Amino acid sequence: MKRRHFLSTIPLAMALPRSARAAAADISVFVNEPFGTISPFVHGHFVEHLGGVIYDGIWVGENSKIPNIGGVRKALVDAMQPLGSTVMRWPGGCFADSYDWRDGIGPREKRPRKPNFWMQNGILRNVPMDHVARNDSNAFGTNEFLRFCRLIDAAPYLAVNMRSLPAQVFNDWIDYCNAPAGANTMADQRVANGDRDPFNVRFWGVGNESWGCGGEMTAGEYSTEYRKFTAWTPRYGNPLSFIAAGPNGGDFRWTRDFFTRMVDKSPGMLNRVWGWALHYYCGTTGKTSVDFTDVDAYDHFQRADRMERLITDHWQLMGEFDREHRVKLVVDEWGTWHPDSTAVAPHHLFGSVQTMRDALIAGLTLDTFHRHADKVAMANVAQLVNCIQTLFLAHEDKFCVTPTWHVFAMYRQHQNGKALRASFNAPRVGYTKEDKEVSAPRLAGSASLAENTLTVTATNLSLTEALPAVVQLHGGSAKEVRGQVLSASDISAHNSFAHPEAVKPAPLAVEIAGTTLKLTLPPMSVVKIEARMG
Ligand code: AHR
């Protein structure tokens, strides 16, 4: 698809203020100043019974001609390996608050077919009505999901239906997943369904978007339900970590009201909250996921960059009630969200082709999470396959990774590293919009140290200018260094079934001079530096 370069239609001097011309970056990394550990869970994922995520994306069935492992698409399992061992959230999203886990166990041929939540809500109105997406066959249920997690070495994170089922059904789900074989009837059922060993599920999301699709509650009502659901839950030795349905973006009232009501009941009640789930989608700009101007892209980067303030502002507010900050932030839905006109199959609701623009936003966002490693304990990009900011496109026997997948693969090395204090300075990108001069971030990054390896990642968000950078290492020097870059000559570049490697990383030259590293970040690039420290 031909791109229109908006900036080329206006004089450069008008598009870029003086300070932004011939920009250079000044990066400092303080090797001896760790402030937390980057949890692998901030590179987490999310899969929902929605469009082409589960059926077509993950589950192809055991009898499929598509290579599979126990019904799960093998290409997907293989492509998860380079991403490390993280966390997977299921079955929603909004779907979770309509889901009865008891429908998805036992012999598949006996499982009920139920209208999918998204279908019921008329959201699939443009989808052919006879299509598989209309109903959920329940072929992919608890055992299938938890086996999928084992295959890809991910910690499962189950989202509990709080809107339409009672707390007892939640307790039974815990028993089904975690009780030792023989302990009770729930455990017996699990064994009969083929899984003798308990799954020991630790993470439980108690409701989803309870301010909206999860029950349209007030924060006060939600806190009452939350306390009821998390009271006296079955435990089998391992701790359970409950995640409460937090705010939609900047809804600070929801955060304040929930924390107030919990603490009013008793200050100890916050011990029941391991994570406070923030949802933030930076949406879309332009016509479609592949048809947008440079100005659209810069507007989009600004929106994505809001994540930083959302984290710090909610964190500050939470601290008013929880001075020791025992409750951590869990950003369990985030991503770009484009119109689904570029989806690879008509029933892939919220699906779209992902471009280099999405990869830049992935880099920007993951670096933000790393810079707040002391606050953000988990984050789940929405969604793994065929949906929103997807890492994979899959349809029938066709499969490819997206530019966003490459960013996750490049960033893997940060997992479990000590987050280091670092600064990334470069002038913002100035641009003109509707006759006004505005600006977007040009550079973002993060640094971590694991054993003797320093990892620095950074994103150059200028679509037109390379960014020469000097990285000053404070408190250490590098012996050996390697660079990698993900970039493209066009911001709408993307991978497709026909061209699965159109966007992929390449080596990047990095020079070592004592405690200084020098490199140039190409326009629209995500880079990684790995340095073996002396
Ligand atoms: O990720 C798609 C939907 O977005 C989820 O189901 C819901 O939680 C959110 O509004």
Side-chain angles (χ1 to χ4, degrees):
M1 195 165 303
K2 186 104 179 69
R3 283 192 44 69
R4 290 174 303 134
H5 284 274
F6 183 94
L7 284 182
S8 64
T9 65
I10 52 178
L12 190 64
M14 196 176 136
L16 302 171
R18 187 175 296 279
S19 62
R21 274 182 254 142
D26 161 16
I27 300 172
S28 284
V29 177
F30 298 87
V31 178
N32 295 324
E33 295 189 36
F35 62 88
T37 298
I38 298 179
S39 169
F41 298 147
V42 300
H43 292 186
H45 305 284
F46 168 35
V47 293
E48 178 165 8
H49 290 240
L50 186 170
V53 180
I54 302 293
Y55 303 108
D56 210 15
I58 299 172
W59 183 255
V60 295
E62 283 158 325
N63 300 323
S64 171
K65 286 190 189 127
I66 300 166
N68 68 84
I69 306 177
V72 171
R73 186 185 285 277
K74 182 172 181 306
L76 175 71
V77 172
D78 294 344
M80 289 304 291
Q81 306 308 319
L83 306 187
S85 165
T86 70
V87 61
M88 187 69 68
R89 177 176 185 239
W90 174 83
C94 296
F95 177 86
D97 276 297
S98 68
Y99 181 64
D100 188 336
W101 67 271
R102 297 167 298 185
D103 291 340
I105 59 170
R108 281 194 205 103
E109 63 285 2
K110 293 200 177 141
R111 297 185 193 176
R113 282 169 60 241
K114 292 232 173 130
N116 183 287
F117 165 87
W118 292 100
M119 185 67 221
Q120 280 175 309
N121 283 275
I123 297 188
L124 290 183
R125 58 193 175 281
N126 295 324
V127 168
M129 296 301 273
D130 58 347
H131 203 279
V132 65
R134 185 190 173 99
N135 283 309
D136 197 305
S137 65
N138 277 303
F140 190 85
T142 298
N143 296 68
E144 288 79 11
F145 171 71
L146 293 171
R147 288 176 202 152
F148 171 52
C149 288
R150 279 183 176 159
L151 279 176
I152 60 170
D153 196 19
Y157 165 16
L158 297 181
V160 173
N161 181 342
M162 177 190 260
R163 177 174 59 82
S164 53
L165 288 175
Q168 184 57 47
V169 179
F170 167 36
N171 287 2
D172 289 347
W173 205 10
I174 298 176
D175 282 328
Y176 184 84
C177 294
N178 291 356
N184 55 39
T185 303
M186 290 293 136
D188 291 348
Q189 278 190 42
R190 184 192 68 238
V191 174
N193 292 335
D195 287 290
R196 182 167 183 81
D197 293 338
F199 290 107
N200 296 324
V201 177
R202 170 183 167 194
F203 296 114
W204 298 85
V206 184
N208 168 74
E209 297 193 349
S210 303
W211 38 264
C213 64
E216 288 169 11
M217 296 181 219
T218 64
E221 287 162 351
Y222 175 63
S223 79
T224 305
E225 288 300 302
Y226 183 87
R227 290 194 302 274
K228 197 167 80 186
F229 267 66
T230 55
W232 306 105
T233 48
R235 308 272 161 136
Y236 296 97
N238 296 324
L240 302 182
S241 298
F242 296 127
I243 295 163
N248 185 19
D251 183 356
F252 297 104
R253 183 173 166 196
W254 180 264
T255 296
R256 182 175 290 287
D257 288 356
F258 175 82
F259 276 73
T260 304
R261 296 294 286 266
M262 291 294 277
V263 171
D264 279 356
K265 173 72 178 81
S266 115
M269 274 298 144
L270 287 179
N271 291 336
R272 300 251 195 96
V273 189
W274 180 85
W276 182 235
L278 164 71
H279 286 186
Y280 178 57
Y281 289 101
C282 63
T284 189
T285 55
K287 288 188 184 148
T288 73
S289 74
V290 296
D291 186 4
F292 55 94
T293 65
D294 289 0
V295 165
D296 292 329
Y298 288 130
D299 282 352
H300 208 177
F301 299 153
Q302 283 199 62
R303 288 196 200 176
D305 200 36
R306 273 193 71 204
M307 184 67 87
E308 170 97 23
R309 283 296 299 273
L310 290 173
I311 291 170
T312 53
D313 290 354
H314 280 292
W315 186 253
Q316 194 185 354
L317 183 49
M318 289 154 68
E320 290 178 23
F321 303 89
D322 175 29
R323 288 194 190 288
E324 290 161 20
H325 277 299
R326 277 172 308 180
V327 182
K328 303 296 181 200
L329 276 165
V330 167
V331 187
D332 63 10
E333 289 188 27
W334 68 270
T336 58
W337 192 333
H338 305 294
D340 51 15
S341 50
T342 60
V344 295
H347 70 287
H348 289 186
L349 178 66
F350 309 149
S352 63
V353 161
Q354 297 285 297
T355 68
M356 193 62 216
R357 158 169 71 159
D358 302 286
L360 295 177
I361 288 176
L364 178 69
T365 309
L366 291 181
D367 281 325
T368 304
F369 296 149
H370 300 165
R371 287 197 308 277
H372 296 287
D374 51 337
K375 308 176 186 69
V376 183
M378 186 194 286
N380 308 71
V381 63
Q383 298 194 13
L384 186 71
V385 49
N386 290 333
C387 189
I388 311 183
Q389 186 156 3
T390 189
L391 277 73
F392 306 105
L393 299 174
H395 180 45
E396 297 172 346
D397 60 349
K398 296 185 280 297
F399 180 81
C400 71
V401 303
T402 66
T404 291
W405 178 87
H406 283 297
V407 176
F408 274 77
M410 286 169 71
Y411 278 45
R412 175 204 175 144
Q413 211 169 280
H414 281 297
Q415 292 173 15
N416 294 308
K418 297 274 168 234
L420 299 179
R421 189 162 80 80
S423 61
F424 295 79
N425 296 315
R428 289 171 68 85
V429 176
Y431 62 103
T432 305
K433 191 183 170 191
E434 290 156 10
D435 294 331
K436 287 201 188 97
E437 295 229 330
V438 284
S439 71
R442 179 186 299 263
L443 175 73
S446 68
S448 68
L449 187 68
E451 294 176 358
N452 208 24
T453 303
L454 170 72
T455 304
V456 180
T457 47
T459 299
N460 175 11
L461 296 160
S462 168
L463 305 188
T464 51
E465 289 184 80
L467 188 62
V470 173
V471 184
Q472 190 62 55
L473 304 177
H474 301 269
S477 57
K479 265 191 172 164
E480 247 177 58
V481 69
R482 243 181 355 179
Q484 200 182 25
V485 59
L486 183 73
S487 188
S489 53
D490 188 319
I491 186 67
S492 65
H494 55 269
N495 295 338
S496 62
F497 298 140
H499 302 286
E501 298 199 352
V503 182
K504 63 176 182 182
L508 176 74
V510 183
E511 241 178 78
I512 312 185
T515 55
T516 301
L517 309 177
K518 288 187 179 160
L519 68 153
T520 297
L521 290 79
M524 56 180 119
S525 66
V526 180
V527 305
K528 174 171 75 165
I529 304 168
E530 281 173 64
R532 197 159 62 80
M533 301 302 283

